[in-house]
Amino acid sequence: MELQNILISELQHEVVITEKFLKRIPADKMNWRPHKKSMSIRQLANHLAEIPSWITGTMEMDDMDMAGYKAPDFASVEEILEVLRNNTAEAEAALRKPDKEYEKNWKMIQDGKVLMDMPKYSVLRMMVFNQLPHHRAQLGVYFRLLDIPVPATYGPSADES
């Protein structure tokens, strides 16, 4: 099986789960955060929607300069879901490459300093794909603290059993 088929299937699976989480965000809780050092629900939701665009960036570029990076800031869950879906479609298209493309190196640069330099496949597996369950789990903790039912992910949740 080609890498693209494995990764596209995994991305589609993760995005379905992520959509379930995003759809549970109450409009009146978008600015809530559990601690002053934590992201707000809005920031976290925007970040989750942004992650598939990192797949596109990894596959379509050989490096990325973090200078000038600005996090997305959409106000409503509907907008955030649309961004997630659009970014996912673009990511799926970007993943449709021969296995050899995944062997090419990719660099993350900031202020002229190389922060990361590794094969694209490693970037995708270690840095990008893992961000979805990581930040979704954060959102799950926020939900628990706010008494919002936590959706099932890789099995039933205590709220859906």
Side-chain angles (χ1 to χ4, degrees), residues 19-158:
E19 282 190 19
K20 286 196 309 186
F21 274 73
L22 294 175
K23 288 175 181 177
R24 295 225 177 151
I25 297 172
D28 67 336
K29 298 295 184 199
M30 290 292 275
N31 293 318
W32 187 88
R33 67 180 74 226
H35 188 275
K36 65 182 178 183
K37 292 181 181 179
S38 299
M39 285 190 269
S40 69
I41 287 178
R42 180 176 171 171
Q43 290 169 314
L44 195 50
N46 272 280
H47 185 53
L48 281 162
E50 169 189 39
I51 292 170
S53 73
W54 296 6
I55 294 169
T56 305
T58 301
M59 294 307 294
E60 299 296 332
M61 301 183 296
D62 293 327
D63 58 58
M64 183 175 86
D65 190 341
M66 295 298 293
Y69 167 78
K70 187 173 185 277
D73 188 25
F74 296 96
S76 73
V77 170
E78 293 75 23
E79 288 176 300
I80 292 167
L81 284 165
E82 184 178 342
V83 169
L84 174 65
R85 291 175 187 135
N86 291 339
N87 285 342
T88 299
E90 290 173 8
E92 287 177 20
L95 288 169
R96 294 189 192 286
K97 305 242 188 287
D99 284 0
K100 192 122 184 97
E101 186 67 27
Y102 291 86
E103 297 172 15
K104 293 181 180 176
N105 266 32
W106 184 89
K107 294 179 187 175
M108 179 183 285
I109 302 164
Q110 186 170 15
D111 299 323
K113 180 181 175 186
V114 175
L115 302 176
M116 181 188 324
D117 183 357
M118 63 179 73
K120 290 182 177 194
Y121 179 78
S122 298
V123 172
L124 292 171
R125 290 298 329 131
M126 293 189 292
M127 302 304 296
V128 181
F129 273 76
N130 291 341
Q131 291 288 311
L132 285 167
H134 166 73
H135 291 297
R136 210 173 45 230
Q138 281 182 291
L139 191 53
V141 171
Y142 288 22
F143 286 173
R144 182 67 69 226
L145 293 170
L146 291 168
D147 256 347
I148 298 168
V150 177
T153 53
Y154 306 115
S157 80

Side-chain angles (χ1 to χ4, degrees), residues 10-20 52 84 88 132:
E10 181 179 345
L11 176 63
Q12 290 169 342
H13 177 76
E14 291 297 327
V15 168
V16 167
I17 298 168
T18 301
E19 282 190 19
K20 286 196 309 186
L84 174 65
T88 299
L132 285 167

